[in-house]
Amino acid sequence: MFFTYLRRELLNRRRQTVIVSIGLAIGIALVTTVSAISGGVKDSQAQVLDSLYGIGTDISITQRAAPGDGPPRFDIGSGDGQQVGGVQTISRTRLRTERGASTFDDATIEKISSTQGVAAVATALKLTNTTFEGELPTFMQRRQGNDGGQFGQGGDSQQIPGATTRSTVVTVAPSTTIEQPTGGADGRGGSAFSITEFSVLGITSDQVEVGPMASVALKSGRMLAMEDVGKYNAVLDETYAITESLTLKSSITVAGKKFLVAGLVGPSAGAAETAANVYIPIDLARTLAGVDAGVTNVYVKASGGDSVSDVSSSLATLLPEATISTSADLAKTVSGSLSTASDLLSSFGKWLSIIVVIVAFALAMLFTMSGVTRRTREFGTLKALGWKSNRIVRQVMAESVVQGVLGGIIGAVIAFGAVAAVNTFAPTLQAATGGGLGGGGFGGGLGGRGRGANNPLAAQIRGSSTFDVVLHAAITPSILALAVGLAVVGGVLAGAAGGMRAARLQPAESLRSVA
Amino acid sequence: MTTSSLYKLTGVSKSFRQSGKEVHALRGVELTVNTGEHIAVQGPTGGGKSTLLQILGALDVPTSGEVELNGNPVSKMSRSELTKLRGSLIGFIFQNYNLIPTMTAQENVEVALAATGVNATERRARAIETLTKVGLADRLQHLPAELSGGQQQRVAIARALVKNPAVLLADEPTGNLDEQTRDEIMDLLEAQAAENEITLIVVTHDSAVAKRAGRRLNIKDGVVREVN
Ligand SMILES: Nc1ncnc2c1ncn2[C@@H]1O[C@H](COP(=O)(O)OP(=O)(O)O)[C@@H](O)[C@H]1O
Ligand SMILES: [Mg+2]
């Protein structure tokens, strides 16, 4: 009788069923869609972080040297380059650790590895290859105003669009990076030069569980292996290779040495970009950069999600000088439309859906209670026929729960549609980290960019300043569970409200002649 | 058939509080009803007819006085004991039929057995059998809205009869019917009551209906009087 009655009420009192279900559906659809988009935004953030710090990296460790280590200097003496008619053509390349970064030695890495809660450790030597090319007057003279070429206006640096192309032209303030002019002008007096740079990562080939090599996937050729130790073989980011017209088996010059391009890599699934332009064996990286030993970056994977903060504080005690960033800290360094979307969703989106759900629940309760009131005589009659109150309450509850579940299903269908629409539209979100491309070291630009200056970690990732991430919203099983859960809760609340009213009805109501 | 008493009411009073005022719906009712009797209850509107039926039907307990049904002390029973008693002994018939609008005729009859723990197969069989008895064998799957007033009341009678009650309590059962249907319904009620040895108590305004009863009561201002 229970199911017969339930079916009859739901099917033959369709208006009631539809109104309550649709009301709940709208609330649930909104919550589900907002959650799915939030999830997509979180994934995008994770993607950005994974690209920067390697998939699976829970903690990133770096250390800054004591102040006093100035920006890279190209000391150009009168004997350098070719002199033609009062113009000196020069070309200089240097491979250096990123500004201010200091290294960790093997003993420290050993201590990090043996710290409680550390599951895996990867290390890398992060370097930048900078090439200075240009013409300088034999006797340079500082001039005001625009005198052509790339001679800049001051200490500020430019942010270069296009995340993957890390080679760029940077303007330089003569006062900070170039020795003060010593002689008179030639007629035009200008000096034209350019600086190109790309990032180089010295890697240990077997560290693939965590760190930068965890976020790359081989596109062609091969990865670096143990037998590459000491060999001039390199792996390139595919996008970088294309912009520089480099192919497999061609060669790239790093710190004046030719490296054979052994493989091309791209971001692995889950990462938006690779961590560097060029990957070379760490031993050669050390030799060419003049670093005796050690690494600049340590990537740590914690053994369990819960222990990340514990591991982080253990490491902080172990390495008081180092900057220890958890993925949560790192997430805060990401800005741009991606983080705006994230903020918007966590504030406005969350509250809007909470309010809509509350309104939907309240309406469902009111409709159910008024439905019970309309059925006063029906329930009174059932009681007169010997039906216990509980049986009637159960019936009302069941009707509401089914309406709730129906609302949940309709809501989920609407949400799937909305999410599909979002994914078809596929909005591109930008994520910016740190101080931008030029902020790292040239012309004193670092100090001028608040975020970069405050965040050494972000500042190190020079060239990775902007990412374009396509938002992909997805309704995950847990979101679906949330939708179904909310639907059932909505149904139970409405059923409880209606059931309470039904329980209070007197059997004598059956005898009332007016309905 | 031995004449045993089905109901025994002694000093039954029922009062309601309505907007601060005490309304005495029944005052000191003394009444004995024997098994198999056919009683008509008449009286002016607001006289207390429905309240008496409510007490007899174990829908409510009196404010004071004793009610015995088949030897059960109804006036001292808890709500759940009253519910059980209604489920097994009492069949109600209402002026407005009070069928569940979303259920078919057959399901409406089965509803009366759902509370008694009869299994689904037997429930269905007994519902069909009873509906056949009241002449609705060809209307089993109709919804109340698809039936005439007389047919709806037949469904209600089947619903009351299906559990073999000791008593049928009918509140204005023909109040909404035309004269011919009224007589058919009364014929049916009386025949079924006689056949199954069911006591029949009918509240009515209609003297034609009242005249059919073996015993007539009149209630005015809560006071019950025998009519000869
Ligand atoms: N639940 C109730 N609450 C308040 N007053 C009631 C209630 N039921 C009946 N009454 C009052 O009791 C008196 C008798 O009512 P009722 O038994 O319905 O009369 P009848 O059926 O003869 O028309 C009336 O004055 C009515 O207003
Ligand atoms: Mg009445």
Side-chain angles (χ1 to χ4, degrees):
Chain A
M1 204 76 244
F2 173 77
F3 289 106
T4 308
Y5 195 8
L6 181 59
R7 197 177 65 237
R8 292 296 184 205
E9 284 303 315
L10 293 171
L11 293 178
N12 294 345
R13 248 188 259 273
R14 226 163 285 166
R15 214 172 67 99
Q16 178 87 9
T17 306
V18 166
I19 288 173
V20 174
S21 299
I22 294 288
L24 288 171
I26 290 168
I28 287 157
L30 193 72
V31 172
T32 310
T33 308
V34 167
S35 303
I37 294 173
S38 291
V41 168
K42 277 204 195 82
D43 286 349
S44 301
Q45 281 180 318
Q47 235 180 51
V48 169
L49 292 177
D50 283 348
S51 311
L52 295 179
Y53 306 102
I55 285 170
T57 302
D58 294 316
I59 300 165
S60 171
I61 310 170
T62 55
Q63 191 165 319
R64 303 257 297 156
D69 182 14
R73 291 153 62 106
F74 292 92
D75 299 322
I76 298 150
S78 59
D80 290 325
Q82 289 178 294
Q83 275 183 266
V84 179
V87 175
Q88 188 182 24
T89 307
I90 52 151
S91 175
R92 280 299 184 87
T93 295
R94 65 193 320 159
L95 183 66
R96 289 190 54 155
T97 55
E98 289 170 328
R99 186 176 175 250
S102 80
T103 56
F104 300 101
D105 58 19
D106 290 348
T108 310
I109 302 303
E110 192 46 49
K111 278 189 222 155
I112 294 170
S113 302
S114 55
T115 299
Q116 175 81 30
V118 172
V121 170
T123 56
L125 186 63
K126 230 174 197 170
L127 303 166
T128 305
N129 188 90
T130 312
T131 304
F132 179 101
E133 273 176 308
E135 294 175 351
L136 296 171
T138 316
F139 299 99
M140 286 186 291
Q141 187 179 49
R142 196 176 173 194
R143 282 182 56 135
Q144 301 285 316
N146 183 7
D147 41 17
Q150 281 90 13
F151 215 102
Q153 293 293 316
D156 205 0
S157 49
Q158 290 178 320
Q159 184 160 345
I160 309 305
T164 51
T165 308
R166 286 160 189 141
S167 161
T168 186
V169 174
V170 181
T171 58
V172 178
S175 58
T176 45
T177 56
I178 297 164
E179 296 300 290
Q180 194 66 22
T182 54
D186 63 356
R188 295 264 303 145
S191 47
F193 56 88
S194 68
I195 295 171
T196 54
E197 59 170 13
F198 56 85
S199 58
V200 176
L201 207 56
I203 57 155
T204 308
S205 60
D206 59 349
Q207 294 174 343
V208 293
E209 193 185 339
V210 62
M213 297 319 285
S215 44
V216 299
L218 188 67
K219 296 290 182 180
S220 60
R222 62 176 183 85
M223 286 289 199
L224 291 182
M226 289 316 276
E227 58 264 28
D228 289 306
V229 170
K231 300 222 174 70
Y232 288 88
N233 291 330
V235 165
L236 266 58
D237 173 74
E238 194 181 35
T239 317
Y240 176 70
I242 291 166
T243 46
E244 295 298 309
S245 306
L246 292 166
T247 56
L248 210 60
K249 303 272 159 51
S250 66
S251 66
I252 178 166
T253 307
V254 179
K257 301 282 183 190
K258 279 198 182 332
F259 278 73
L260 177 74
V261 178
L264 297 175
V265 294
S268 63
E273 280 188 39
T274 59
N277 299 136
V278 179
Y279 302 83
I280 61 173
I282 195 164
D283 58 315
L284 286 178
R286 285 188 188 123
T287 311
L288 295 174
V291 177
D292 298 337
V295 294
T296 51
N297 292 64
V298 182
Y299 307 87
V300 172
K301 183 181 183 171
S303 50
D306 297 332
S307 62
V308 170
S309 62
D310 291 347
V311 175
S312 164
S313 44
S314 304
L315 292 172
T317 316
L318 182 70
L319 309 164
E321 304 285 299
T323 305
I324 293 159
S325 310
T326 63
S327 30
D329 298 333
L330 299 174
K332 289 184 197 125
T333 70
V334 177
S335 60
S337 62
L338 179 58
S339 74
T340 309
S342 165
D343 292 347
L344 199 68
L345 283 167
S346 61
S347 52
F348 177 72
K350 192 170 85 186
W351 285 111
L352 178 70
S353 27
I354 287 173
I355 289 166
V356 170
V357 164
I358 289 172
V359 169
F361 281 10
L363 285 178
M365 287 165 78
L366 286 175
F367 265 95
T368 306
M369 285 200 289
S370 79
V372 169
T373 305
R374 255 181 290 124
R375 290 160 73 187
T376 296
R377 197 148 55 116
E378 175 177 327
F379 293 140
T381 303
L382 287 172
K383 288 186 179 187
L385 293 175
W387 279 46
K388 290 193 191 80
S389 270
N390 282 350
R391 187 184 275 269
I392 293 165
V393 172
R394 198 175 64 188
Q395 210 72 45
V396 172
M397 275 295 248
E399 286 170 21
S400 294
V401 170
V402 172
Q403 284 162 353
V405 170
L406 215 63
I409 293 168
I410 299 168
V413 168
I414 297 174
F416 271 108
V419 165
V422 167
N423 290 339
T424 307
F425 180 58
T428 301
L429 297 174
Q430 265 103 41
T433 55
L437 193 71
F442 290 90
L446 181 65
R449 302 233 177 205
R451 244 195 154 115
N454 295 336
N455 193 317
L457 252 166
Q460 299 177 34
I461 310 144
R462 191 193 297 160
S464 296
S465 54
T466 58
F467 284 86
D468 282 349
V469 186
V470 175
L471 177 68
H472 179 84
I475 294 177
T476 61
S478 61
I479 292 174
L480 211 56
L482 171 76
V484 173
L486 275 177
V488 172
V489 167
V492 167
L493 282 177
M500 246 150 62
R501 179 161 291 195
R504 278 200 300 267
L505 292 178
Q506 293 302 313
E509 297 287 351
S510 59
L511 290 171
R512 295 235 187 289
S513 46
V514 282
Chain B
M1 192 177 89
T2 55
T3 55
S4 59
S5 77
L6 180 70
Y7 280 109
K8 198 164 168 15
L9 279 64
T10 40
V12 168
S13 292
K14 181 71 183 176
S15 49
F16 298 101
R17 279 214 149 265
Q18 203 172 33
S19 49
K21 273 199 301 181
E22 195 89 358
V23 180
H24 298 280
L26 293 176
R27 304 166 195 257
V29 176
E30 303 284 336
L31 181 68
T32 303
V33 178
N34 291 325
T35 301
E37 271 193 291
H38 176 187
I39 299 173
V41 181
Q42 287 182 284
T45 300
K49 303 183 293 296
S50 294
T51 306
L52 178 66
L53 222 53
Q54 205 170 299
I55 299 288
L56 296 175
L59 295 176
D60 210 343
V61 290
T63 312
S64 63
E66 306 290 321
V67 178
E68 259 182 39
L69 170 55
N70 260 0
N72 300 300
V74 175
S75 45
K76 292 187 179 67
M77 282 184 169
S78 68
R79 296 252 162 224
S80 73
E81 287 171 316
L82 291 176
T83 302
K84 206 171 273 174
L85 194 75
R86 288 198 299 270
S88 57
L89 291 181
I90 296 155
F92 284 100
I93 293 156
F94 309 93
Q95 179 173 358
N96 298 307
Y97 328 125
N98 292 12
L99 299 177
I100 293 167
T102 56
M103 288 195 195
T104 63
Q106 184 191 321
E107 288 160 356
N108 264 288
V109 177
E110 286 187 46
V111 157
L113 292 177
T116 61
V118 174
N119 74 51
T121 317
E122 192 190 338
R123 209 166 58 206
R124 195 166 309 128
R126 280 170 66 176
I128 294 169
E129 180 196 296
T130 315
L131 279 166
T132 306
K133 255 196 260 180
V134 301
L136 289 177
D138 56 346
R139 294 285 187 278
L140 301 178
Q141 302 308 320
H142 285 60
L143 290 175
E146 299 162 350
L147 298 171
S148 72
Q151 287 170 327
Q152 286 187 57
Q153 196 61 301
R154 282 169 190 266
V155 175
I157 290 167
R159 179 176 66 183
L161 289 172
V162 74
K163 62 189 169 191
N164 292 325
V167 60
L168 278 180
L169 300 173
D171 197 0
E172 303 272 6
T174 59
N176 292 354
L177 302 175
D178 60 63
E179 284 183 17
Q180 191 197 326
T181 313
R182 172 197 70 192
D183 294 338
E184 285 167 11
I185 289 295
M186 286 315 296
D187 289 344
L188 176 68
L189 266 180
E190 282 167 21
Q192 289 299 325
E195 189 183 323
N196 300 295
E197 294 177 19
I198 299 171
T199 307
L200 179 61
I201 300 174
V202 181
V203 167
T204 184
H205 271 111
D206 191 332
S207 51
V209 172
K211 275 190 192 117
R212 303 172 68 121
R215 182 179 171 195
R216 289 155 74 181
L217 301 176
N218 192 296
I219 308 183
K220 199 180 164 192
D221 296 329
V223 179
V224 176
R225 203 164 48 77
E226 299 275 349
V227 181
N228 299 313

